[in-house]
Amino acid sequence: MNSSAAISKIFWPSHLCSQNLRTGFIIGWNVRSFTACIATVVSDIDLGPLVSALSSLTADPQFASLNRACGVNPVVLGVAIVPFADGMDEQAVSESNAKLLASPSLLEHKETANLWLTIEIKPTYIPSLKSLHCCGFRYSNVSSEIIFYKQPDARKFQFLSLDPLVLDISQINASGALFDASMSPKAAQKRMKSSMGQARLFISSSGRTVTDDMNVTLQQINSSRETEQAVRDKAKHFLRRRARGRSMSEAVRESAVDLSIKVRSKVAVTVTTLWPIIQPFTIRPLMVILFVLRALVEICLWILNLKFPDWAFNGIAIKDMTTTGQQIDLRLQQACFWPWQYFMARKKAWTNTSITRAQYISFYNSMWLVANDIIIGVAFGSFLISNNKYMAEVLQRYVKDYTIDSISAVLEWLTSKNEYPAGLKLNPELNPFLGQLFKWLIEIWADFIISLQPLVPTVINLIGVSGVLGATMSLSLVSDLLAFTTLHIYWFYMVAARIFHWQLTILYSLFNLFRGKKRNTLRHRIDSCDYDLDQLLLGTILFTLLTFLFPTIVVYYLTFALSRVAVICMQATMETVLACLNHFPLFAILLRLKDPDRLPGGLRLEVCPERFFFDRATPLRWVVSSLRSVSAESHQHSQHQDMSKLGRTVPGSNSSLGFRGPQGLTDQGLRSGLHQGTTNGISQQQTHRSSFFNHQDHPQYFPLQQPFSGSAEDSGHIEAIPRSVSYLFLTNSPLPMGAIFFQYSVLWKRLSSHYFTLHVLKCLLSGETIKSIPRLQYPMLPDTRSRFTIHSIKQVLIKFWAFCEETLMDQEPVPLYQVPSSYSGSFGTARR
């Protein structure tokens, strides 16, 4: 029984396209309709034992979480026929294949299976769909799209992802998918499972709720390697011995494998027997030590986050007064978050692959940064300690020249009686008063700095010793030292800015009085007002007086405002360098260079030539084929250009048939699977989004008809529709550098939004205080904890003890394909 044109999509592992593949049964998942994801091909086994092995595997509780992630259980999807085999006669291989296809168990299973594929492996090692059965009905002339993929290795944290990997874990935790300090571990785990279950559903264009087949297929692809290993482990006892005898190397290898298995089993039994005895004497003391350390860290964080009263230092926290306090707070919070993040990165969570991978990258990136920070800090600190006297002299000279002598010279120039500074004629009474006042304050500050000169080498040694804690700690101390040595400039700026702002406000009010206006504070507008003659006269006199005094105030204000802006620029530069050292994506960059599959940036489909795997098997053949393809493409391009000038079509170019290229990739096939709308040329690298396999939403792309139930003679009258085969290769697109350096973009946004705005210009022109950026530590840790209190510390310590008991006391060895329940506990502290 036949049916006319149908389209099937088959996801095929690329490692099966090799000369080592033998005829066997296809194991995988039936996603929907004629869409299937293949995990492996099992050879040298009968169908009945293989089905029994799959049934026992799916019933295994250790495999249940993997099945839930894949959506459906793995089943036997068909048979792969390989007409060639090394060391065997072609006739013997064909007879063996014919015997397999005619076996009663296979024919019976073909009649009852929801989907049964018969795939033949070509001599070029590439699969070709020969027939397709659905519930006993045979579909011939099936157009197929075979999409190859490289099996991701979960042990190396490789995976395919439709969306680019989000490295900003603060965004992940903001959605509540991973970390919440107010939730218990069980509640957090339940919410994660429910959110991941809802992620598989979406509303189609017709208003129906359907499954997101794209994400389900990607979960199956990401689980294919573990599924293949688990199936082979279950089915290895039912494998048939091949006719040929074992070679000496195979015998030695099998004996070595058996010996290693026996040794590992003996060691596992010994450890399992002795571990309950020695566990209380080793784990409990370690838990007590970790608990005491965590309590000390929590107390330090509580002290750092204490706030002053509103009347003192504007009610800021202790850590926000100095850059060193902020750096200590950051390192302590990282130390609190690292244990949970480490165990989260170690455990496999198949339903939230991107989250666990982001945690893995974030954890090791912070580890590398801290290690490099300490190495750089030790080198920098040793340099400072060995040259402390010279560095002390340099520091004293620069502080004296740029913070004392330069300002004194400017004040001398402003108060000079023989010339007008910058061509301005300052008030002869007010100018000497302000100049002498600031000179007196500078002399007091200079005497104070001179008294501290004996302590400068000690301060340099202290900065050098702090390099043991990292270069960021030394840089924080240098930033605080800069703020301390320029403290008098801040005082002068505040005094001059306050006087300038007061005088500017009074001049504005007197100007309104001079015009017969006044400001209505209730309605926030300027209204007309009738003033008495005495009021107008007094206001005019005061306005004239302050107007002539205003240039002198402006000169002194600009002098100290520009000095303050220069200091702020230096502090902002140090804060930027500090933030770059704290958040440089070193580990992510190394992964991007070494193994890009760990950093997916979306999916990419490439046209796969039919001889791709055959040529790749021999390096020399691969090079010759690559050179030949390049020359063919250039020749075809020149032919197109010549014929286009004559207004003719190039023979064999397939442009009139809608083909994309010589590989047989049709325009309809590409649009049906990927909704791609390009019209010219082969799209070598294409990124595709989500409604990949939703047949219901796009029925025009899947012209699947009802199976024909007539006789064989009637079927001969049906016009045969030629089938087409498309070969694609599904890979990850490399994660863009912008996504890797996302923290630097956040840094620039914070800097630009704080300094490069009209508000800063308004503060500079109106005399309001220009504040430095409060904290330049952009998102890095989960933002869940709002206050540090004694009650919150108690709850955090209780959860930390529960976490230690769960991870250290109850943890057992886990098989490769077992997926333990991910701990969503919330013992860690988070950024304020």
Side-chain angles (χ1 to χ4, degrees), residues 8 37 251 327 538 643 718 737 754 779:
S8 175
C37 181
Q327 184 65 25
L538 180 60
M643 290 297 181
I718 299 177
M737 285 297 177
H754 186 82

Side-chain angles (χ1 to χ4, degrees), residues 410 413-416 419-426 551 555 558-559:
V410 171
W413 178 58
L414 291 177
T415 57
S416 176
E419 58 180 338
Y420 299 111
L424 298 175
K425 184 178 180 181
L426 304 182
V555 169
L558 290 178
T559 300

Side-chain angles (χ1 to χ4, degrees), residues 5 27 45-46 121 204 259 329 381 394 403 415 421 504 507 513 523 537 546 585 662 698 819:
I27 308 298
I45 190 173
D46 294 330
I121 306 300
S204 65
L259 180 61
D329 177 75
V394 172
T403 64
T415 57
L504 191 64
L507 281 174
L513 183 143
R523 298 188 177 182
L537 181 61
L546 293 177
H698 304 277
V819 184

